[in-house]
Amino acid sequence: MTTIADRLSIAQSRINQAAQKCSRMPSEIKLLAVSKTKPVSDIIEAYQAGQRLFGENYVQEGEAKIIQLQNDYADIEWHFIGPLQSNKTKVVAEHFDWLHTLSRDKIAKRLNDQRPANKAPLQVCIQVNISHEDSKSGIHATEVMALAEQIQLMPNLSLRGVMAIPTATDDISVQQAEFSALARIYHDLQQRFDGIDTLSMGMSGDLDQAIANGSTMVRIGSAIFGERGT
Ligand SMILES: *Cc1c(COP(=O)(O)O)cnc(C)c1O
């Protein structure tokens, strides 16, 4: 039987190999362990194997886990990677360290107002809709700079980069086009602002492509924690 520790180390070797293939340093690429729907005991197991970055998709579930682990596992870095509605921003502002799915000025303002004064600024990535599917969340590439300018004016938010969920496809050329489009936006942001260091792209199925295109954070769930029930 493979353990969470085994699967974490397999995921890490996949990152290392993908980095080597394109002559990048593996240390430039962070592994975000996506623990949505999984019990706190699984997070603790991953923690004991050295994992510190965890991603959650659901506001209430994430909040409950953070509260449960905040005393004994205070150095976990919690990333919110799910869709965020404006009536749920307070939970994210009060409990999470990062948000990957910022795509609206109104949500940014709420988070900035709701971030507690005793906490570091919320670290945010703008979610870009690079697949141009209407159903996908995220803002259009042409709107990223304007939102980034707004975020710069908010002292309790710190803009770190961009994130995307690409089209689910095995077509390498589609994947490639989308990843390189996101990488271009990331580089544009870096030209314009300080502190931009996060290109959040790549999941289990498209890790190599994402890393070849400059990803600095890959988000892996089921390959570490096992398949999720429905
Ligand atoms: C669930 C999720 C992941 C991880 O997906 P797996 O298929 O479990 O590896 C990555 N990114 C986002 C935004 C997710 O919602």
Side-chain angles (χ1 to χ4, degrees), residues 5 21 27-28 40 54 59 70-71 76-77 83 86 90 108 115 124 147-148 162 174 177 192 209 211 217-218 227:
K21 264 198 259 173
S27 59
E28 293 171 11
V40 158
F54 291 90
V59 172
Q70 65 190 358
N71 293 324
I76 290 180
E77 193 176 274
S86 57
K90 196 159 189 278
R115 185 71 170 170
V124 300
L147 180 57
V162 284
V174 172
R192 189 101 157 244
Q209 290 272 109
I211 289 173
M217 199 181 291
V218 294
E227 293 301 323

Side-chain angles (χ1 to χ4, degrees), residues 149-164:
E149 300 276 5
Q150 290 302 309
I151 296 168
Q152 292 301 317
L153 304 173
M154 302 180 186
N156 300 321
L157 302 186
S158 175
L159 182 63
R160 299 292 292 269
V162 284
M163 175 269 205

